[in-house]
Amino acid sequence: GINIIVPFESACEIKTNTVLSSRNIDGFNKISGGLYQTPNFSDAANQILIEIDAAVSGVEVKRI
């Protein structure tokens, strides 16, 4: 699996193009299938963009 840690104050978008057996993406809003954004994403000047296109069993994202 993939583990990603994102600073809590950072705006972030995650796109996944894979079929995952598990997703743990706390603190993100699900926009559509495979697209997640932090609540402050659209208004933020600086944004972190993460795209996951791989065969993995699971993704865990934590905001700290």
Side-chain angles (χ1 to χ4, degrees):
I2 296 174
N3 297 314
I4 299 170
I5 298 174
V6 177
F8 188 81
E9 53 283 326
S10 296
C12 185
E13 176 181 86
I14 298 174
K15 292 181 185 179
T16 63
N17 299 321
T18 59
V19 176
L20 302 169
S21 62
S22 69
R23 287 185 188 134
N24 183 5
I25 304 178
D26 290 334
F28 286 73
N29 297 325
K30 184 174 183 177
I31 306 303
S32 63
L35 179 63
Y36 301 84
Q37 294 177 345
T38 56
N40 61 337
F41 184 78
S42 60
D43 298 328
N46 295 314
Q47 301 170 334
I48 297 171
L49 305 173
I50 299 171
E51 186 168 344
I52 301 169
D53 188 8
V56 294
S57 60
V59 172
E60 181 176 0
V61 180
K62 293 183 181 180
R63 295 178 72 202
I64 59 169

